[in-house]
Amino acid sequence: MKKQLFIAGEWIASEKYSELLSPFTLEKIADIPQASGEQVDCAIEAAYESRAMMASMPAYQRAEILEKLVRLLKEKEQQAAEIIALEAAKPLKTAIGEVQRTIETYKFAAEEAKRIHGETISMDAAIGGVGRIGYTLREPIGVIGAITPFNFPMNLVAHKVGPAIAAGNTVVLKPASQTPLSAYFIAELLEEAGLPKGVLNVVTGSGRIVGARLVSSDKVNMITFTGSPSVGIGIRNKAGLKKVTLELGSNAGVIIDKGTNLNTIIPQCVMGAFSNQGQVCISLQRIYVHEEIYDDFKQKFVAETQKLVCGDPLSLDTDVSALISPPDLERSLQWIKESVAEGAVIAIGGTTEGNVLLPTVMLDVNSHSKISCQEVFAPIVLIHPISTIEEGIKYINDSKYGLQAGIYTNDINTALHASNKLHVGGVMINDIPTFRVDQMPYGGVKESGTGREGLKYAVEEMTEMKLVIWNQA
Ligand code: NAP
């Protein structure tokens, strides 16, 4: 299968192609075009030229296109899930979940298109404002450069393309090199849904070339980036006055208070730690358990982990499959080894089957070990005892990241205290930090990023406020 770039509504070949390999079998899946600098410029130009047309498209028409996409995606749910499973090694049942969320995300985008509005200002609150009427409007920002990661190749594209169209913008999308097929699939469906030529352009190729060109172009008004902190920080430094939103990584933690019913929460915690092989920005990486229930928790968590089925992402039985690339597998093993040298103990896992790292539970991990203080992005979780909730809050806050955190407790005062003290973008009470539905505001503090996604909030980021004042005198 030889793919083509999508520029100005045309499918275009490239001079250079690179082989896309399955992360699970390492067999070739497709040939992916590597856009030249000139082709990226053409895509930017197409988006730039379509700005005025898109900005004047009525809200109901933008909503209709997104609604049509929702219908098409519903019809092709299985095919979409198989594409994700194939290129990202995301276990099929998790991939089906991602497609269902993607459908919801575009549905929310369609609804949001119809409620973009400003507010009236009480002009006569100022002595000098008497006799005037003032109100704000939200106008599209223009050309949006969207750069997306591999781990949710369809839904994280939706979190950028959906609100961008809803708000009347045009887009140049650069998907992750490992997961271009999901992005091309959505471009095909949007073409079928009647999106005018040039509104969405998809260019594949290395981040350092294609992504960097988007970031440096004067014709791109905003970069919306989801990916690793190091790349995000580099983008921010090069973007000049462009608006930039960054959805970056984390080492999310949960606190488990005494008195918590472990039987109900253990399956949730295991899912939070190992879903998509731990390659989730809010994957549960650190579990802090009250010492009174630590032994019980540890034992039950390991027993539940043992039940996970590892293997082929295309099998519906599989819970955990291959990491995204062999170097990521190597890095994960190295981090486990280093933490053991620093005093940690492997309770289960720590070994591989092909490109699959078996779900790994670590105990006695030093808080300075990489698997604690950096983003592990692999099926590795640590469990650590705490004697007070305060200690758990301190551990969670002792991180350069701050995306989401969770606390399980039966005490409302403890829950309220934790929600006040945890320095993160979102606190989940009686849930794992991995909880997300797509309309909620989502984003982090510290090195987890700036700006918020979630359709209403992304539309705010992707529009500019204009003030209008009428002088009645
Ligand atoms: P990544 O390596 O940072 O890549 C993300 C995107 O940036 C890819 O499209 C990549 O292209 C591109 N890129 C690489 N170098 C670039 C450059 N110099 N200029 C512009 N673009 C560049 O991240 P990943 O490994 O795909 O994804 C994992 C990371 O994403 C994790 O840190 C995870 O926590 C984070 N994430 C955050 C959220 C959130 O909402 N907060 C959600 C999901 C994932 P190539 O693929 O061609 O290199």
Side-chain angles (χ1 to χ4, degrees):
M1 187 182 17
K2 201 164 182 175
K3 301 302 289 185
Q4 292 181 308
L5 305 166
F6 187 56
I7 299 175
E10 309 294 334
W11 294 94
I12 293 171
S14 164
E15 266 183 28
K16 273 176 63 188
Y17 279 77
S18 82
E19 291 190 345
L20 179 65
L21 306 183
S22 147
F24 180 65
T25 62
L26 299 183
E27 283 164 9
K28 181 170 138 180
I29 310 170
D31 288 302
I32 303 301
Q34 305 294 294
S36 65
E38 291 70 34
Q39 286 175 315
V40 179
D41 291 344
C42 282
I44 295 171
E45 195 60 35
Y48 190 77
E49 288 301 319
S50 314
R51 273 179 327 158
M53 175 272 297
M54 194 57 190
S56 62
M57 183 187 281
Y60 82 91
Q61 281 181 15
R62 303 195 304 267
E64 263 174 19
I65 292 168
L66 290 163
E67 289 286 1
K68 179 105 192 273
L69 172 63
V70 166
R71 285 197 295 280
L72 292 171
L73 197 49
K74 273 186 185 159
E75 284 166 19
K76 299 192 174 174
E77 195 179 303
Q78 183 66 22
Q79 189 189 347
E82 281 168 12
I83 291 172
I84 298 173
L86 194 63
E87 66 177 358
K90 180 171 283 193
L92 193 55
K93 59 187 166 197
T94 318
I96 291 169
E98 177 174 349
V99 177
Q100 287 166 346
R101 279 183 58 190
T102 307
I103 290 168
E104 278 195 326
T105 302
Y106 283 116
K107 177 90 178 129
F108 287 131
E111 290 162 358
E112 218 48 61
K114 299 179 194 167
R115 46 183 182 233
I116 299 174
H117 51 77
E119 59 179 0
T120 53
I121 313 294
S122 313
M123 294 305 296
D124 60 355
I127 297 168
V130 174
R132 286 172 172 81
I133 298 171
Y135 54 88
T136 60
L137 302 168
R138 307 264 358 160
E139 296 193 330
I141 201 162
V143 176
I144 295 184
I147 305 176
T148 51
F150 73 83
N151 63 335
F152 284 85
M154 222 168 264
N155 197 30
L156 292 181
V157 164
H159 270 285
K160 304 195 181 305
V161 171
I165 293 174
N169 294 297
T170 62
V171 182
V172 181
L173 168 65
K174 188 266 176 264
S177 289
Q178 182 56 45
T179 54
L181 301 180
S182 301
Y184 281 128
F185 182 72
I186 289 299
E188 284 165 22
L189 297 190
L190 270 168
E191 190 184 21
E192 199 181 333
L195 188 72
K197 288 178 191 290
V199 175
L200 172 66
N201 305 272
V202 185
V203 278
T204 41
S206 112
R208 261 180 242 110
I209 296 167
V210 177
R213 198 114 176 171
L214 283 177
V215 174
S216 63
S217 168
D218 288 341
K219 292 187 170 169
V220 174
N221 304 93
M222 172 183 179
I223 295 290
T224 166
F225 172 82
T226 302
S228 58
S230 58
V231 174
I233 291 165
I235 287 176
R236 159 76 66 172
N237 289 337
K238 291 190 201 106
L241 281 181
K242 274 187 197 71
K243 187 161 189 183
V244 178
T245 57
L246 302 173
E247 300 290 340
L248 309 177
S250 78
N251 59 348
V254 70
I255 299 168
I256 305 193
D257 199 2
K258 59 188 171 197
T260 305
N261 181 344
L262 296 187
N263 294 333
T264 55
I265 73 156
I266 294 270
Q268 289 170 17
C269 291
V270 168
M271 197 269 284
F274 302 124
S275 177
N276 197 27
Q277 294 82 260
Q279 300 167 125
V280 179
C281 45
I282 36 175
S283 190
L284 177 52
Q285 184 174 326
R286 301 179 292 154
I287 306 180
Y288 298 108
V289 188
H290 197 281
E291 59 194 8
E292 285 181 22
I293 54 169
Y294 176 70
D295 286 335
D296 198 15
F297 182 92
K298 207 168 60 179
Q299 188 207 332
K300 287 183 167 147
F301 191 93
V302 168
E304 190 71 21
T305 301
Q306 226 148 15
K307 293 183 197 162
L308 295 172
V309 177
C310 300
D312 186 350
L314 289 164
S315 157
L316 264 178
D317 296 330
T318 300
D319 298 302
V320 174
S321 187
L323 280 170
I324 199 67
S325 71
D328 279 287
L329 183 64
E330 280 311 308
R331 174 192 57 81
S332 309
L333 288 169
Q334 180 59 29
W335 285 19
I336 293 172
K337 209 167 133 194
E338 279 176 32
S339 70
V340 169
E342 287 155 355
V345 173
I346 301 173
I348 185 172
T351 54
T352 57
E353 274 174 17
N355 294 316
V356 179
L357 172 62
L358 300 187
T360 302
V361 180
M362 309 282 302
L363 309 172
D364 301 330
V365 176
N366 185 314
S367 61
H368 299 296
S369 293
K370 286 187 185 135
I371 61 164
S372 176
C373 67
Q374 298 203 18
E375 179 180 37
V376 74
F377 229 56
I380 304 171
V381 64
L382 68 88
I383 310 177
H384 198 80
I386 47 171
S387 49
T388 62
I389 295 297
E390 216 50 53
E391 196 186 345
I393 293 173
K394 202 160 154 269
Y395 274 127
I396 289 186
N397 285 346
D398 181 20
S399 167
K400 58 184 173 177
Y401 303 115
L403 198 43
Q404 294 199 150
I407 177 165
Y408 287 94
T409 180
N410 295 328
D411 184 328
I412 52 168
N413 293 317
T414 301
L416 183 61
H417 177 71
S419 70
N420 288 334
K421 292 289 171 195
L422 286 165
H423 189 205
V424 289
V427 177
M428 307 296 123
I429 310 288
N430 289 333
D431 227 323
I432 43 176
T434 326
F435 176 81
R436 183 180 184 189
V437 286
D438 294 279
Q439 81 281 25
M440 72 190 215
Y442 181 77
V445 297
K446 301 194 263 183
E447 284 188 28
S448 290
T450 53
R452 292 291 179 269
E453 290 195 336
L455 286 305
K456 174 181 165 205
Y457 308 93
V459 163
E460 243 166 58
E461 306 273 5
M462 292 178 177
T463 50
E464 275 173 328
M465 183 189 285
K466 179 187 270 177
L467 173 68
V468 182
I469 307 281
W470 294 58
N471 185 352
Q472 301 179 90

